[in-house]
Amino acid sequence: MKPEQTAQPKLYIGIDIHKRSWKVHCATDLFSGKSFTMPPEPKVLEVYVHTHFPSYEVSIAYEAGCCGYYAHRSFEGFGWSSLVVNPADIHRKGKERFTKTDKIDAQLIARELKDGRLESIHIPEVEREQLRSLFRRRNDLVKDFRRVKSYIKMQLLYFGVRVPESFDNDHWSHDFRAWIDAIIFSHPTARETLDSRMRSFRFIDKELRDVSSKLRAYCRKHYKKDYYLLRSIPGIGGIVACGIICELGDLRRFNNIKHLAGYVGLAPGIHQSGDNQRHTGITMRAHRLMRSYFIEASWQAIRTDPVMQAYYRKHVGKNVKSIIVKIARKLLSRTLAVIKTEIPYTIGVIE
């Protein structure tokens, strides 16, 4: 009697992705499989699977990292089920925490995939992913801008040049820049150093303004409804609105505020054992960039929204950092509500 196949065989592939090579582990529903190294080309893996595992149902997973989502989109184009997972979500047994190789990582991913314990992170569409790169470029320019300003102030302090009190603030006016350009040193080398730093400052300043303008213009044009809904919320300006659109994507995909707060990192941590329970503050797992933006926006919200200001004053006397995190959580809740209801926010009035 000829045996008949009653179910489609399944293939589980875990990949440890690197720039120059991939470490791949293939396992099926019947055997643990084998590991091998291959060039970083999805097409090569497709040929291998079609050669050695024809008619198999393929599931594949790899860790999110610097190589982006190109491989994921290629695998889905082959008709495979593909997951891009957070490295922190891959469970390691006791001794596996102390031994790490590319081969072991690939085996762990394949094992967790086979056991059904992996969940994919959110994969943005290509347009929003490339828009996000522009937002992150702006964030890099902000860091460079602060750095070069610190270098210039450091040089003035080092050579004993006292900044006039009217200029000693974070805002670098054109008068202050002209004052820096007019400083005379006893030797020309110090002047050349300062001129070089000022050229860098002016270049970064122009780049930052140009990138910010293009970012806002693109969001106003292509995400007009969400952009202006977000702008209606006190504390959320043009750049923060762009950041929400770029980094968080369509907020309608979040089921509730708990889901969104956990993603951004404005959810409380808790540790309980028996009768002992303690709160550990906001969780370490977070979208750190957007969490910082929401906390900065909260300082503006309490200045412009009476309801937020009243909530802040009610907690005066407690730790300021804890209070502003509470405000950021409320601001995040309003953001989700405005997007889901598509009704612009109206500033509340305290009677």
Side-chain angles (χ1 to χ4, degrees), residues 8 57 93 105 132 163 193 200 239 247 252 313:
Q8 186 177 9
E57 181 182 332
K93 297 178 182 177
D105 287 346
R132 186 174 67 181
V163 178
T193 305
S200 296
I239 294 301
E247 294 288 343
R252 297 170 185 84
R313 292 186 183 280

Side-chain angles (χ1 to χ4, degrees), residues 287-299:
H287 193 305
R288 298 186 184 277
L289 180 58
M290 288 313 302
R291 182 164 70 181
S292 67
Y293 269 77
F294 269 101
I295 290 176
E296 289 179 12
S298 298
W299 288 109

